[in-house]
Amino acid sequence: MALDRDSNVYTVAFATIMVVIVGGLLAFVSMGLSPAQKANISNEKMQNILQAIGIPETDGIIRENAGKVFNDFVKRRITINYKGEILSDKSVSDEINLKDNLDAFNIDLRKEYSKFVKPIMNKYKGDKEKIKEELSKSTNIHFPIFVCESNGKTYYVLSASGKGLWDDIWGYVGLNSDLTSINGVVFDHKGETPGLGSKITEKPFQSGFLGKKIADENQFMSIQVLKPGKELSKHQVDGISGATFTGAGVNEMLKRNLEVYYNFFKSNPEFSGNQPKEEVIIETVASDSTLVSVNDSIK
Amino acid sequence: MSEAKKESLFSKKNKQLISGPINKTNPVTIQVLGICSALAVTVQMDNALVMGIAVLSVVAIGNVIISSLRNFIPSRIRIIVQLVVAAALVICVDQILKAYVYDVSKQLSVFVGLIITNCIIMGRFEAFALGNKPWPSFLDGIGNGLGYSLVLVVVAFFKEVLGSGTITLPAIGKLTIVPESVYSFGYENNGLMLLPPSSLIIVALYIWVQKSRNPELIDK
């Protein structure tokens, strides 16, 4: 070897060349694979939303197909903030633009929680009123609503994100057209205990939510995950043995998020007509001509 | 890895490079390296298999790279060079998993990135690849990767069967091994088997079986 492998010049030159080559290689790999990775992530999201509708047509859908049929079911994508103001309202004909941060589809559930909600909750620990006040002030927290249709029936898919025992948990909740009874749920988690908390992603736990109600007599009542084996009311769900804290995380996340949606549906005339008590709807429809046109436009 | 054995490339010494780490110099059970990931990713068979393949490819390709560069690597920064090679390969593997086997990559999550810190990799780079030609280094990488995968798969098999009563294989999916009738007799899945400590127990039993079959491995 003519080169002196121990000289400083050689060492520095070697390190420099190595870094440049490796850096270039990694950039190349990352760029080449990123379309496939992004498609995976977006397909998974579509799969979750479709499954949360809770209808047999989308129940067993696989990730690869989710993108193709997404627009057959999801007809409207609405984004609201904590106060219930509509920030973005896209119909099925508006294509999903991945750069439009307000499009309901682009809302990153985990980021919503960990970046915007968690700091507020940590700062005012325990002070529920203060947390609510701060959350409603924040302009960064968004809540997506997916209005889905199948066989002439309307479903609403809402989202929720929070913290389990170890790390983030998030999910989608599908409501029937009455806007109070749950038709389907999908939960996912980052790092719950395998075999215990991680079971929130499985069918036996999720099917416990079906038919449960998020409101009682026009009063918001969140869904409670109880310790397993208790008698259940229409707002309660059987929990998982050994996963008490994950269950508590699900409770907290559903309560915080569903309340916002419930208040939005209640206060927004477009949706409040959909809530139960048929006679009331007929009365309002008859007395309020603007509502009729709004209701028609939904259908 | 049972390609044509007649070639001189697979001389007795070279074959030893593959068969050794699978049994007598196994990186996990005999050298006790890479235990950490063996505890964490063995809840399901498919995770263990993919993790095994990932480590195998990183250690095999990395060995070849390090070995071909062995005459050029400045000895003062050789550990850093090894680290960079390992890290670059691991990032590539992680990206590929994310693009093509998304579900498994989600389950393995952080552990793919942690392959970088797997002692087997740096151990083989430093102990073997720096002093040997590329071909033996490649075989050594394959051998160690297989040895690691074997332990992972065996541990995962027992953990999954006893812990969830299923076997999950890539491309095939979940197979139920423990029949429903057994549960109706009062059999329960063992929750401990889903947690990392049970891997220690199974690895220990593995070592016990291995050493009693190979008495020369027993420490005097």
Side-chain angles (χ1 to χ4, degrees):
Chain A
M1 278 293 125
L3 288 161
D4 176 13
R5 279 207 281 153
D6 287 329
S7 78
N8 286 343
V9 177
Y10 181 80
T11 305
V12 170
F14 187 93
T16 314
I17 294 169
M18 177 183 73
V19 165
V20 170
I21 290 177
V22 169
L25 179 85
L26 288 183
F28 182 74
V29 168
S30 160
M31 267 167 60
L33 293 175
S34 86
Q37 293 170 354
K38 279 192 183 141
N40 277 340
I41 292 169
S42 121
N43 278 343
E44 188 195 25
K45 207 167 180 183
M46 289 179 173
Q47 181 195 24
N48 285 342
I49 293 168
L50 290 176
Q51 282 179 343
I53 303 175
I55 48 175
E57 289 90 331
T58 57
D59 191 35
I61 199 156
I62 55 167
R63 181 155 40 79
E64 284 77 11
N65 292 341
K68 287 176 213 147
V69 298
F70 187 70
N71 281 344
D72 298 347
F73 293 99
V74 180
K75 298 299 181 193
R76 236 177 114 189
R77 310 186 298 273
I78 307 170
T79 305
I80 61 168
N81 66 11
Y82 199 89
K83 288 178 217 153
E85 294 157 342
I86 295 180
L87 303 174
S88 160
D89 188 348
K90 299 266 159 97
S91 80
V92 65
S93 50
D94 298 313
E95 242 173 69
I96 296 170
N97 175 4
L98 291 176
K99 290 204 174 93
D100 177 4
N101 290 330
L102 279 181
D103 189 324
F105 185 75
N106 294 332
I107 291 173
D108 183 339
L109 299 183
R110 283 185 62 199
K111 210 174 102 192
E112 287 290 314
Y113 178 74
S114 53
K115 256 190 134 167
F116 307 125
V117 178
K118 203 154 88 187
I120 294 176
M121 293 186 58
N122 286 344
K123 199 168 163 192
Y124 303 103
K125 222 168 217 164
D127 187 350
K128 281 183 191 156
E129 290 306 311
K130 186 82 184 157
I131 288 176
K132 262 190 191 174
E133 191 192 320
E134 289 295 319
L135 285 178
S136 69
K137 270 190 215 158
S138 168
T139 51
N140 292 320
I141 306 173
H142 302 139
F143 299 85
I145 302 171
F146 300 93
V147 183
C148 309
E149 272 171 34
S150 174
N151 294 333
K153 284 183 83 181
T154 311
Y155 304 91
Y156 299 86
V157 175
L158 318 172
S159 78
S161 52
K163 191 181 178 310
L165 172 59
W166 304 114
D167 212 326
D168 297 350
I169 51 176
W170 62 96
Y172 293 93
V173 177
L175 295 184
N176 263 323
S177 50
D178 64 3
L179 290 167
T180 46
S181 62
I182 292 182
N183 207 45
V185 289
V186 169
F187 293 120
D188 207 345
H189 66 98
K190 174 80 200 303
E192 295 309 295
T193 320
L196 300 172
S198 78
K199 283 196 176 153
I200 61 166
T201 61
E202 291 174 16
K203 269 269 143 71
F205 176 70
Q206 297 183 355
S207 58
F209 285 80
L210 306 184
K212 301 287 173 182
K213 304 240 183 286
I214 64 161
D216 209 357
E217 314 254 329
N218 286 329
Q219 190 65 45
F220 174 71
M221 284 283 286
S222 184
I223 306 288
Q224 283 278 325
V225 178
L226 298 183
K227 288 200 171 181
K230 294 214 172 124
E231 209 147 295
L232 304 167
S233 77
K234 59 185 175 180
H235 307 295
Q236 292 168 334
V237 176
D238 220 356
I240 302 163
S241 317
T244 314
F245 282 94
T246 308
V250 172
N251 286 346
E252 190 278 328
M253 135 180 132
L254 289 179
K255 185 162 191 288
R256 179 164 37 78
N257 288 276
L258 291 182
E259 190 168 18
V260 174
Y261 288 114
Y262 184 77
N263 291 337
F264 166 74
F265 287 138
K266 213 173 159 187
S267 62
N268 192 309
E270 188 189 329
F271 297 99
S272 55
N274 284 354
Q275 277 173 346
K277 288 183 188 160
E278 297 262 327
E279 314 86 45
V280 183
I281 297 174
I282 298 162
E283 254 181 51
T284 28
V285 168
S287 64
D288 191 345
S289 57
T290 54
L291 197 61
V292 176
S293 60
V294 173
N295 272 340
D296 282 346
S297 67
I298 305 175
K299 282 160 193 149
Chain B
M1 301 305 128
S2 57
E3 304 118 70
K5 281 178 184 167
K6 50 196 181 286
E7 291 174 67
S8 62
L9 284 174
F10 286 93
S11 62
K12 205 172 177 195
K13 209 175 137 209
N14 279 348
K15 270 192 262 173
Q16 202 87 57
L17 288 175
I18 291 192
S19 63
I22 293 178
N23 189 9
K24 288 182 187 160
T25 54
N26 189 293
V28 182
T29 57
I30 304 299
Q31 302 175 37
V32 201
L33 299 174
I35 282 278
C36 176
S37 54
L39 305 187
V41 297
T42 46
V43 175
Q44 283 188 346
M45 285 273 280
D46 58 344
N47 293 356
L49 271 172
V50 172
M51 186 70 176
I53 294 168
V55 170
L56 186 141
S57 37
V58 170
V59 80
I61 300 170
N63 258 0
V64 172
I65 295 175
I66 293 289
S67 155
S68 359
L69 292 175
R70 70 187 185 284
N71 292 330
F72 305 101
I73 297 173
S75 58
R76 272 186 294 172
I77 58 165
R78 68 178 197 287
I79 298 285
I80 295 175
V81 173
Q82 291 163 16
L83 202 58
V84 168
V85 169
L89 287 170
V90 167
I91 292 170
C92 289
V93 166
D94 190 28
Q95 299 277 326
I96 291 169
L97 290 182
K98 268 189 194 145
Y100 298 112
V101 271
Y102 183 67
D103 297 312
V104 178
S105 108
K106 248 180 75 179
Q107 284 173 4
L108 292 177
S109 64
V110 64
F111 293 104
V112 178
L114 286 178
I115 296 176
I116 299 170
T117 61
N118 194 321
C119 316
I120 297 173
I121 294 183
M122 292 294 276
R124 288 338 284 170
F125 287 0
E126 174 78 7
F128 197 91
L130 269 181
N132 287 282
K133 289 194 175 129
W135 176 246
S137 302
F138 177 70
L139 294 180
D140 179 75
I142 298 276
N144 278 283
L146 284 177
Y148 175 79
S149 314
L150 177 74
V151 175
L152 240 64
V153 167
V154 169
V155 172
F157 175 81
F158 286 108
K159 282 183 77 170
E160 196 178 356
V161 168
L162 297 175
S164 345
T166 55
I167 294 273
T168 317
L169 293 171
I172 299 174
K174 239 183 195 139
L175 307 170
T176 310
I177 296 294
V178 181
E180 204 57 47
S181 54
V182 180
Y183 289 106
S184 53
F185 275 115
Y187 172 79
E188 290 264 2
N189 286 328
N190 187 345
L192 174 67
M193 284 294 160
L194 298 168
L195 300 172
S198 64
S199 315
L200 279 179
I201 299 170
I202 296 172
V203 169
L205 291 172
Y206 188 108
I207 296 175
W208 180 24
V209 171
Q210 192 184 17
K211 288 203 172 170
S212 46
R213 290 183 58 202
N214 302 284
E216 73 269 25
L217 293 173
I218 299 170
D219 302 324
K220 290 277 151 57

